[in-house]
Each structure stands twice: as structure tokens, then as C-alpha cells.
Amino acid sequence: MVATPIGNLGDMSPRAGEVLGRVQRIAAEDTRHSAGLLAHLGVHTPLVSLHEHNEAERIPSLLEALKAGESVALISDAGTPLVSDPGFRLVRAAREAGLDVRAVPGPSAPLAALAVAGLPSDRFCFEGFLPHAAGARQRRLEALLVQPVTTILFESSHRVRAAAANLAQLAPGREVFLARELTKQFEEHYRGPAGELPGWLDADSNRTRGEFVLILGPAPAPDTGGEADMPLSDEHERLLAALLHELPLKRAARLLSDATDLPRNRVYARALALKDAGG
């Protein structure tokens, strides 16, 4: 498993180049794209395609080659293989066949963005790309925004503005980080509240071009003052119970908070308590 540059060819490690020149074949996500990298390195190893549409059918021939003593390198278009890229099924099949699998570590867009984001990095999760459809994207963000860990996402130039608008509406005060074109000539960063991200993107048309890593700061820790056990007013309790009867918990809590200006954390904690109690 050989990591390749995400934008700057100078990030290719000497070991990665040596391995690509030594193996008998290279499985690449896009052979045309990878041919340019190999030409830059002066590597002439034969290429075979391995992508999400043909991975299953490629596995038998690659396993046969490995069992016959050949060495095979797997590369993606950029970064570390298997991170939102094909290869998992091949690695699993090789492991199950008792074959040796090694990593040649190197560039990784999620880790590069996390390293410079200035957001908590002791706990984080990688969620890949958000859904394309507007409703599914909003539902996914609603679920991610309650996670108590930093969340790393990928987004495309076609949908980054829509994702920013969703975040600004769902959690305007949440701290977020957006990295555009990491390691490339026009690399650019935004760090600040989600509510101001759409304006930052709209301030320069170039800011919606390229490839993006979007990082969400963790949800605030629950108040330790017993908010889950602290009842709301009788009217608010009745409204919350009615909303919980009709809607998912997070949406019910958000609607009541937005309508009453009650702190969202308190409403959410009370909703959890009511659910746990069978309310």
C-alpha cells in the first residue's frame, strides 16, 4: 500500500518511489493519472487498473500473481490508499489468503488538514464524502454535529457551498475548518464559526474551486449541572413530548430550542432523559 502525493510531487518519499520501481506491477485507481506520476519518477513498472467498479473482478488475478511470488503495489489517485479510495476488498482478500501486506506511509489529506486546523485532535473520526442529495446531506450533518469528537469530511467543488449553507443553518456557532487545495499552489484555509463560512466562500469565486477537506469541531460537552434531570417549564415539557412523538430526537430538540431560545444542549439533554424514561 503506497501513499502518493496529494498535490505536491515533492512529497513523494524516496522509499515510495523505490518500491514502485521494484515491484512487478502496480494496481492504480486511474492508470492514465498514475502514468504521469510514474513518468515523473522515471518508473516503468506495468500498470493495471483497480477501481470501485472492477475491484472484485481484479482480485483473483492479483492474488494469483502474489501467490506466484510477484510483488504488487497499490496506489490511489492521491494520498493513502483505501481512505475514500478502492483497495479494501483486495487487502482483505490478501490477508485471508495468508499473504503479506505492508504499508509505505506518506501523504494523507485528512491528516494533513487535521494537523493545521487548530481543532481538537485527541479524538477524531473520518466520514468521507457527504451525501449528494440535499436532504440526505442535511440529515448526515445533523447526526455528525452531535458527535463529541472532531469530524473530518471530504467535499467537492460542486457541493461545498451547499454543505456550508447547511452548517450555517444547523450550527452557526460551531467552529469549523475548511482546507482548499491542500499542498497545491492555491492552498487556502478558513477557520471560524460555521455561520460565517458561506460568506467566506462567496467573497472570492475561486474559493469554491478545487478539492476540499472540511473539519467540524466536536459538539460541546454536556453541562455537568444536571441539565438532563432539570425539567423545563410545564408548557415546554408538553411541547417537547409532543415533538418527540412525531419527530426524531435531535430534530425535536432543535425545533423547540429554535422556537423558544432555550439552550439547545439543555433541550437535547432533557429530550434524552424523556426518551430514556419512556416519555
Side-chain angles (χ1 to χ4, degrees), residues 231-239:
L232 306 175
S233 70
D234 289 344
E235 180 183 1
H236 291 158
E237 289 272 325
R238 287 195 297 271
L239 285 171

Side-chain angles (χ1 to χ4, degrees), residues 4-75:
T4 56
I6 60 175
N8 190 320
L9 290 174
D11 293 335
M12 187 76 181
S13 75
R15 181 185 172 212
E18 185 272 327
V19 168
L20 294 181
R22 173 169 45 83
V23 296
Q24 274 74 54
R25 70 179 81 181
I26 298 170
E29 184 178 4
D30 183 333
T31 55
R32 293 168 300 178
H33 177 89
S34 296
L37 173 65
L38 298 186
H40 171 78
L41 298 172
V43 169
H44 305 288
T45 304
L47 282 167
V48 59
S49 66
L50 187 139
H51 47 72
E52 61 178 328
H53 302 298
N54 75 352
E55 185 175 0
E57 66 187 61
R58 287 285 192 216
I59 287 174
S61 62
L62 289 172
L63 290 183
E64 184 178 338
L66 290 164
K67 290 175 181 177
E70 287 191 21
S71 54
V72 178
L74 174 67
I75 59 176

Side-chain angles (χ1 to χ4, degrees), residues 145 169-172 227 250 253-255 257-258 261-270:
L145 284 167
Q169 186 265 325
L170 292 170
E227 283 190 342
K250 291 188 293 292
R254 177 167 57 83
L255 284 174
S257 174
D258 289 347
D261 290 329
L262 285 167
R264 189 171 297 183
N265 283 354
R266 181 183 173 195
V267 176
Y268 183 77
R270 185 59 186 154

Side-chain angles (χ1 to χ4, degrees), residues 142-221:
E142 287 176 346
L144 295 178
L145 284 167
V146 301
Q147 292 190 153
V149 299
T150 296
T151 302
I152 307 173
L153 300 158
F154 284 160
E155 196 48 274
S156 74
S157 59
H158 304 294
R159 292 182 296 275
V160 68
R161 183 180 275 108
N166 287 147
L167 284 169
Q169 186 265 325
L170 292 170
R174 181 67 56 87
E175 189 173 21
V176 300
F177 176 81
L178 183 71
R180 168 180 172 264
E181 295 288 84
L182 275 168
T183 78
K184 300 175 185 176
Q185 180 180 359
F186 298 108
E187 178 173 352
E188 199 169 8
H189 303 163
Y190 169 85
R191 178 175 177 272
E196 297 179 15
L197 179 56
W200 182 83
L201 289 170
D202 290 339
D204 184 341
S205 61
N206 290 315
R207 288 177 175 169
T208 55
R209 298 176 180 174
E211 298 176 319
F212 299 86
V213 180
L214 174 62
I215 305 183
L216 314 180

Side-chain angles (χ1 to χ4, degrees), residues 218-232:
D223 193 312
T224 57
E227 283 190 342
D229 299 320
M230 184 185 302
L232 306 175

Side-chain angles (χ1 to χ4, degrees), residues 104-115:
V104 181
S108 169
L111 294 181
L114 181 65

